[in-house]
Amino acid sequence: MKKACLVLFFAVAGKLLFAQNVATINGNPISSKEFLWVYQKNHAGQSKLDYKDLTAYLELYVNFKLKVAEARALGLDTVEDYKQEIAGYEDALRAQKKVLAGSPEYAYIMNEYREGVLMFNVCEQKIWGKAQEDGEKLKAYFVDNKEKYEGKVFDEVRGQVVGDYQQQLETDWINSLRSKYKIKINQAELKRLAK
């Protein structure tokens, strides 16, 4: 009887905890509060939360979180330059005294900065650096997609080719991350937030 009660308790507790999250990535939750804070920060002036908009934004946010997860898997969060940059930002944030240290908003701001720097660093490694450094692959991409550039020579459209190639690298990378990491979206929570 005790075992049955414990199993029931943990099942209910698990459902309640998941209900407070819009998604999980490899078991790491994205809380509804965090997601709403980021969404509202980036959609200032928008008073009504629309399910379709929330769903589309969550897709983008999951892609962001996947990049951060990959950066951590690569150990980019242990690099000394990264740690110093985060410490410097935190010192500056505290010195401003606009947000109370220890408040939820302070935690969200620091988390956003930490993850933003990680995302930037991993994108530099996986996308931007590759497109700039690998001239042969860039030219091969141009040749394979020549119809996009209306007969122009490579040197005339190099900037556009770099941008398109970076977009292709990112799309391929995101697809590989989505197959590498387990993603669970809580549709019921998204619908609740949209009410």
Side-chain angles (χ1 to χ4, degrees):
M1 182 67 176
K2 269 187 174 179
K3 282 184 181 180
C5 287
L6 282 174
V7 168
L8 180 62
F9 171 76
F10 285 115
V12 169
K15 283 189 183 254
L16 288 174
L17 287 174
F18 183 70
Q20 297 171 0
N21 300 317
V22 291
T24 59
I25 298 174
N26 267 10
N28 297 315
I30 299 174
S31 77
S32 298
K33 289 180 181 180
E34 171 194 353
F35 176 68
L36 277 179
W37 182 82
V38 172
Y39 179 86
Q40 289 171 336
K41 184 176 146 258
N42 291 300
H43 293 83
Q46 187 176 349
S47 59
K48 188 175 186 296
L49 296 175
D50 178 68
Y51 176 74
K52 184 178 162 188
D53 292 342
L54 285 174
T55 302
Y57 194 77
L58 183 58
E59 283 298 307
L60 296 174
Y61 198 62
V62 165
N63 288 346
F64 168 78
K65 289 289 198 171
L66 287 168
K67 293 172 187 176
V68 171
E70 187 67 5
R72 286 190 172 121
L74 294 170
L76 297 181
D77 59 334
T78 63
V79 175
E80 197 56 40
D81 287 346
Y82 168 77
K83 291 178 181 180
Q84 288 175 2
E85 183 172 349
I86 299 306
Y89 182 80
E90 188 163 19
D91 290 344
L93 185 61
R94 284 186 175 161
Q96 287 179 353
K97 298 181 181 177
K98 291 182 180 178
V99 180
L100 184 62
S103 70
E105 185 176 11
Y106 182 88
Y108 293 146
I109 291 169
M110 281 307 303
N111 187 56
E112 179 182 47
Y113 190 77
R114 274 187 213 98
E115 291 184 344
V117 172
L118 283 174
M119 193 270 311
F120 181 87
N121 292 344
V122 77
C123 284
E124 177 66 33
Q125 204 177 79
K126 298 287 186 176
I127 301 168
W128 307 322
K130 281 186 176 182
Q132 295 296 331
E133 295 167 5
D134 198 340
E136 292 301 315
K137 285 188 179 177
L138 190 60
K139 286 181 182 176
Y141 178 85
F142 171 74
V143 170
D144 291 344
N145 296 280
K146 200 163 177 95
E147 70 282 350
K148 281 180 160 179
Y149 308 106
E150 301 172 354
K152 293 179 181 167
V153 296
F154 177 75
D155 290 336
E156 291 177 12
V157 291
R158 188 178 197 287
Q160 184 181 354
V161 174
V162 168
D164 292 346
Y165 183 56
Q166 287 175 338
Q167 185 60 52
Q168 185 63 54
L169 288 173
E170 183 172 15
T171 299
D172 294 345
W173 183 44
I174 288 294
N175 289 337
S176 74
L177 292 176
R178 282 183 169 270
S179 63
K180 179 179 179 180
Y181 293 97
K182 184 179 178 187
I183 302 163
K184 190 172 181 182
I185 304 296
N186 186 345
Q187 296 294 337
E189 181 66 3
L190 275 176
K191 288 175 184 173
R192 187 190 72 75
L193 293 175
K195 289 182 179 180

